[in-house]
């Protein structure tokens, strides 16, 4: 096993490995790139992995996932797969999944596939569903119609409307 009679390859030429080694991806490590609370960045951020912003970013952010901390401020557009907002964003947010904590403050449009908003969160802008997202089929809705002045008992002075 440890004998010196075994032949070794001592040539200076590189040896090609026949094994296929998996490529390492930094996005699968689960460790986010962190913008700390005392850091101010002016410029766009782009990452295939996770970003956590606790400081101030003036620029657009494009990443797989983004967490905006409670004291953080982002001034720019956000495009991610998943966003958790606890701080302030001044710009449009486009993500498959958006979660807004009660301390969240967004001034701009939110385009989403899935949206969760805790009580106390602030939004000033439009909320739109991503194009192509699955929607209920026409005619199926889990929302009941609300009687208006033109329908129901209120329109006929308390009497049911004739059919």
């Amino acid at each position: 096993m440890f004998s010196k009679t075994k032949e070794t390859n001592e040539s200076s030429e590189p040896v090609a490995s026949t094994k296929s080694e998996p490529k390492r991806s930094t996005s699968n490590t689960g460790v986010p790139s962190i913008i700390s609370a005392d850091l101010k960045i002016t410029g766009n951020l782009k990452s295939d992995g996770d970003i956590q912003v606790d400081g101030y970013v003036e620029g657009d952010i494009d990443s797989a996932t983004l967490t905006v901390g409670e004291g953080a401020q982002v001034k720019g557009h956000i495009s991610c797969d998943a966003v958790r907002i606890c701080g302030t964003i001044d710009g449009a947010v486009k993500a498959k999944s958006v979660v807004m904590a009660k301390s969240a403050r967004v001034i701009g449009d939110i385009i989403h596939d899935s949206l969760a908003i805790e009580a106390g969160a602030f939004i000033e802008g439009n909320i739109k569903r991503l194009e192509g997202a699955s929607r209920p089929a026409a005619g199926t809705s889990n929302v009941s119609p609300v009687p208006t002045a033109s329908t129901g008992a209120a329109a006929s002075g308390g009497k049911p409307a004739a059919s």
Side-chain angles (χ1 to χ4, degrees), residues 40-133:
K40 178 181 178 181
I41 292 184
T42 303
N44 299 334
L45 302 177
K46 181 167 176 56
S47 172
D48 290 332
D50 306 337
I51 297 176
Q52 178 177 333
V53 177
D54 291 323
Y56 179 84
V57 175
E58 186 172 338
D60 299 341
I61 300 176
D62 184 3
S63 69
T65 63
L66 174 68
T67 302
V68 179
E70 198 166 322
Q73 292 183 353
V74 176
K75 201 170 205 180
H77 299 293
I78 292 173
S79 178
C80 302
D81 287 335
V83 180
R84 176 162 176 77
I85 305 168
C86 300
T88 302
I89 296 176
D90 188 356
V93 176
K94 182 177 181 181
K96 290 179 184 175
S97 172
V98 178
V99 177
M100 296 182 65
K102 63 182 178 182
S103 58
R105 180 177 173 87
V106 175
I107 300 172
D109 296 345
I110 298 176
I111 302 168
H112 66 89
D113 184 27
S114 166
L115 176 64
I117 306 171
E118 291 183 10
F122 177 87
I123 303 170
E124 185 176 317
N126 295 315
I127 299 174
K128 298 178 184 176
R129 193 161 173 90
L130 275 172
E131 292 297 322

Side-chain angles (χ1 to χ4, degrees), residues 147-161:
T148 62
S150 63
T151 63
S156 59
K159 297 179 186 173

